[in-house]
Amino acid sequence: MSDQQPAPAIDRSTSQSAADPETAELTARIQELEAQNEQLRQEVAAATRARYRRSALTMGAVGVLALVGAVVFPDVRTVLVALGGTGVFAAILTYFLTPERFVAASVGEAVYATLADNEAAIIDDLDLRGDHHIIPATGGAAPARLFVPLDDTVDVPESTAHVAPFAVEDRLGLFLQPTGLQLYQAFQEAAGTLPEEPAALGRSIGDALVEQFELVDGVDVDVDANADAGAGRAILAVDGSVYGPLDRFDHPVASLFATTFAVELDEPVTVTVSESDADGEWRVTCRWGRPETLADGPRESAFQFDNHSGDGAAASTHE
């Protein structure tokens, strides 16, 4: 008979029980953190709603006081009645139109960044090296298209009826809906009638970017237009972009700026973007017509996109 002792059996229940407390502790901690995050989200939403409600109550109180004052002071009754009616009406709108859902800007930026990287990868894979153009569209629901030609030797059409995105076989390039298209439509709807003069139009776009859409902290618009030659150049200097660097593919800020000019002027608009080395300010330049008829201005850089990074590699262009 062999004297070899049998191998001791592994007590799996003991090792499992030793691991269970650690797992249970981690699970409990995760559940606690999830509950805290949910509570924080609810508290932020409640605080924002409360702020809207307080604003509504304040405007309502001012409106009621103005109406009471209109009874007491007949000499200024017309002004007080108008002030009171405005206050009460604004209070009602603010109270009942309080938003119920709040989406952080970082969420929208993350979604846009992914789409921009995907589109930039398509541009790179198709080896499209031309400047970006916003072209008025004929037919279809979209009044403008983003056109990226194969290279700068391709003639930019005055307008396009292309609906399908790929026109590579026709030796043209890629046609897409601009990111700023729906922003332009919302801008137009809010403004009612947009200015016809390019300089005034540029200022209106800048105001909308800051006040209406809150996509940037500040802007500076410089428009140089030659009405006789039908040419123009508009430069938008941007400070504090909510959606990150403007050299990303079809950035909403640059796209809204160019799309509005293209549709309102009914002209193809060439878009270039550059970053100031001095203060990190972004510059978006739109050109239309025959820019060689304009006075010499600063040279800009057209951004090509490398691989899937979405970062722009500057390549100089000529006015």
Side-chain angles (χ1 to χ4, degrees):
M1 296 180 60
S2 172
D3 294 336
Q4 184 178 2
Q5 298 295 328
I10 298 176
D11 191 352
R12 298 185 180 275
S13 62
T14 302
S15 60
Q16 184 175 359
S17 62
D20 284 343
E22 183 178 354
T23 303
E25 182 181 355
L26 290 175
T27 302
R29 181 60 176 164
I30 291 173
Q31 292 175 348
E32 180 183 357
L33 291 174
E34 289 177 345
Q36 290 178 355
N37 286 337
E38 180 62 27
Q39 182 180 0
L40 287 174
R41 282 193 293 267
Q42 293 176 357
E43 290 177 355
V44 169
T48 307
R49 284 194 294 270
R51 187 169 67 250
Y52 275 88
R53 301 289 165 79
R54 285 196 298 268
S55 300
L57 291 176
T58 301
M59 288 186 289
V62 171
V64 170
L65 287 176
L67 293 176
V68 172
V71 177
V72 178
F73 305 103
D75 293 340
V76 289
R77 179 171 297 167
T78 301
V79 176
L80 291 176
V81 168
L83 179 62
T86 302
V88 172
F89 180 70
I92 293 173
L93 285 181
T94 303
Y95 187 87
F96 287 103
L97 296 182
T98 299
E100 296 296 330
R101 176 173 295 181
F102 305 92
V103 179
S106 58
V107 176
E109 195 277 337
V111 173
Y112 160 71
T114 301
L115 294 175
D117 288 349
N118 287 336
E119 291 176 326
I122 294 174
I123 297 293
D124 187 67
D125 189 54
L126 294 176
D127 197 28
L128 304 181
R129 298 301 172 187
D131 288 338
H132 295 179
H133 310 271
I134 304 294
I135 302 176
T138 58
R145 303 286 283 178
L146 167 63
F147 175 50
V148 185
L150 291 175
D151 52 45
D152 290 332
T153 64
V154 176
D155 292 333
V156 179
E158 294 294 322
S159 62
T160 181
H162 270 277
V163 177
F166 296 100
V168 180
E169 293 182 356
D170 298 334
R171 304 298 299 169
L172 293 177
L174 187 68
F175 290 90
L176 300 172
Q177 284 199 21
T179 303
L181 181 59
Q182 293 192 28
L183 294 177
Y184 159 73
Q185 292 171 337
F187 170 46
Q188 183 188 46
E189 182 178 352
T193 302
L194 296 177
E196 295 182 1
E197 200 269 325
L201 181 61
R203 290 192 295 269
S204 297
I205 302 170
D207 291 341
L209 285 169
V210 177
E211 303 295 339
Q212 180 178 349
F213 300 113
E214 299 183 17
L215 292 177
V216 296
D217 294 337
V219 297
D220 186 17
V221 182
D222 180 24
V223 178
D224 181 12
N226 186 338
D228 294 336
R233 177 178 58 237
I235 300 177
L236 176 72
V238 175
D239 180 35
S241 170
V242 173
Y243 279 2
L246 267 67
D247 61 342
R248 286 173 168 172
F249 182 83
D250 197 27
H251 193 282
V253 172
S255 184
L256 172 62
F257 194 59
T259 298
T260 303
F261 275 110
V263 177
E264 292 299 314
L265 301 179
D266 195 27
E267 290 272 0
V269 172
T270 303
V271 189
T272 54
V273 179
S274 67
E275 183 180 12
S276 172
D277 295 333
D279 51 13
E281 187 179 67
W282 289 100
R283 294 161 59 91
V284 180
T285 300
C286 294
R287 298 179 179 84
W288 61 90
R290 298 173 54 219
E292 66 272 9
T293 62
L294 302 173
D296 290 338
R299 296 181 62 177
E300 299 295 327
S301 295
F303 282 80
Q304 306 294 345
F305 296 88
D306 287 331
N307 301 325
H308 302 263
S309 64
D311 296 326
S316 63
T317 64
H318 299 280
E319 298 279 349

